[in-house]
């Protein structure tokens, strides 16, 4: 099974500052035929289902603000919020969809400092 | 408008059974992979299983934690996905979500249904 490990578990950032969340896969999730990493990022606010932010590691979902971006380097993935807004307080999860079981990371709780 | 609506949750005793439903609307159900994902109270997300689409023979996949106890089926005529859960354990207590996959992304989630396994 592919294990997804996020860091940190929690993060406090000042409004307007950059927030960075990391996710590492235990093995490659790069599909060679299309050169895409099968990695998604989700945002979950209290009492709500998760919402897709990023897929293919770096493609922003339609309607997601451009302050959210995803990047990749080998088996290391990063979600960056360039300028934190109050509405970004949430738990963020990465998920690999390369091979079953399609595991999630443990989540990163983002708060305002 | 795409909608996924889960139902069928409730309180069940350990060892019991329950069937969840995920009613879909606003899209061609048979074209899409549909997953079940669960979230125990105060915990993270856990992938439970998948039903692939008609083009892929409705193949199913399961997490090891539920394999042999849970079964995913679908009725395309009703645009509904089912999760039959048998031999339930306390650790199966969670909110269960169904999710839609489109072109390599999980683009819609239902609101979830709560399953509580307790005596």
């Amino acid at each position: 099974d592919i294990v997804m490990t996020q860091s940190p578990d929690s993060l406090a950032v000042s409004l307007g500052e950059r927030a960075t969340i990391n996710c590492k896969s235990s093995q490659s999730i790069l599909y060679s035929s299309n050169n895409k990493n099968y990695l998604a990022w989700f945002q979950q606010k209290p009492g709500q289902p998760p919402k897709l932010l990023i897929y293919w590691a770096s493609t922003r979902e339609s309607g997601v603000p451009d302050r959210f971006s995803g990047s990749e380097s080998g088996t290391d993935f990063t979600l960056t919020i360039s300028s934190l807004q109050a509405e970004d307080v949430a738990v963020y999860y990465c998920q690999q969809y390369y091979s079953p079981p399609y595991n999630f990371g443990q989540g990163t709780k983002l708060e305002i400092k | 408008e795409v909608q996924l609506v889960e139902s069928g949750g409730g309180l069940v005793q350990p060892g019991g059974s329950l069937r969840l439903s995920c009613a879909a609307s606003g899209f061609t159900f048979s074209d899409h992979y549909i997953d079940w994902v669960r979230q125990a109270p105060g915990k993270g997300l856990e992938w439970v299983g998948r039903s692939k689409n008609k083009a892929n023979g409705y193949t199913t996949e399961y997490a090891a934690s539920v394999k042999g106890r849970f079964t995913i089926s679908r009725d395309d005529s009703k645009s509904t996905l089912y999760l039959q859960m048998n031999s339930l354990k306390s650790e199966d207590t969670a909110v269960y979500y169904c999710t839609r996959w489109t072109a390599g992304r999980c683009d819609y989630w239902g609101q979830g249904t709560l399953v509580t396994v307790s005596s």
Side-chain angles (χ1 to χ4, degrees):
Chain A
D1 294 1
I2 299 174
V3 177
M4 307 302 292
T5 304
Q6 289 183 230
S7 62
D9 289 336
S10 63
L11 181 63
V13 175
S14 300
L15 290 172
E17 296 300 305
R18 178 184 300 259
T20 301
I21 298 170
N22 302 299
C23 174
K24 185 176 183 65
S25 58
S26 61
Q27 62 190 73
S28 174
I29 53 174
L30 176 69
Y31 195 39
S32 57
S33 67
N34 59 10
N35 200 37
K36 292 182 183 295
N37 276 298
Y38 282 48
L39 188 284
W41 288 98
F42 298 91
Q43 174 194 64
Q44 188 178 31
K45 297 181 179 180
Q48 297 182 18
K51 171 189 172 184
L52 177 67
L53 298 176
I54 303 286
Y55 59 101
W56 299 135
S58 60
T59 301
R60 193 181 307 113
E61 173 70 341
S62 176
V64 172
D66 61 7
R67 65 180 180 273
F68 291 91
S69 64
S71 61
E72 55 206 293
S73 176
T75 58
D76 293 304
F77 303 91
T78 301
L79 175 70
T80 300
I81 307 172
S82 59
S83 177
L84 189 71
Q85 304 300 302
E87 61 265 33
D88 300 334
V89 169
V91 179
Y92 293 83
Y93 296 92
C94 61
Q95 183 195 23
Q96 67 83 13
Y97 50 101
Y98 179 81
S99 67
Y102 304 108
N103 289 328
F104 292 87
Q106 78 275 21
T108 295
K109 186 174 184 179
L110 177 59
E111 299 173 314
I112 304 294
K113 185 186 290 183
Chain B
E1 179 194 5
V2 172
Q3 282 196 312
L4 298 169
V5 179
E6 303 91 340
S7 61
L11 176 64
V12 61
Q13 292 189 337
S17 298
L18 209 57
R19 188 178 81 159
L20 305 184
S21 299
C22 168
S25 59
F27 64 97
T28 304
F29 187 66
S30 60
D31 286 348
H32 294 265
Y33 291 14
I34 307 290
D35 284 4
W36 286 101
V37 174
R38 68 184 180 183
Q39 186 169 37
K43 302 298 184 181
L45 302 171
E46 180 186 12
W47 178 79
V48 172
R50 164 170 291 179
S51 170
K52 294 187 178 180
N53 58 9
K54 183 177 181 179
N56 287 279
Y58 301 125
T59 303
T60 53
E61 297 169 327
Y62 298 94
S65 58
V66 306
K67 196 169 186 179
R69 300 189 299 122
F70 289 13
T71 302
I72 296 172
S73 61
R74 60 197 291 167
D75 184 339
D76 285 353
S77 68
K78 296 181 178 179
S79 294
T80 299
L81 185 78
Y82 302 100
L83 181 66
Q84 177 67 45
M85 304 186 295
N86 298 330
S87 303
L88 282 161
K89 307 174 182 180
S90 58
E91 52 263 41
D92 296 318
T93 294
V95 173
Y96 285 73
Y97 297 101
C98 59
T99 76
R100 186 186 85 159
W101 283 80
T102 302
R105 69 194 207 280
C106 178
D107 59 352
Y108 282 92
W109 294 64
Q111 289 298 310
T113 187
L114 175 62
V115 172
T116 303
V117 184
S118 175
S119 54

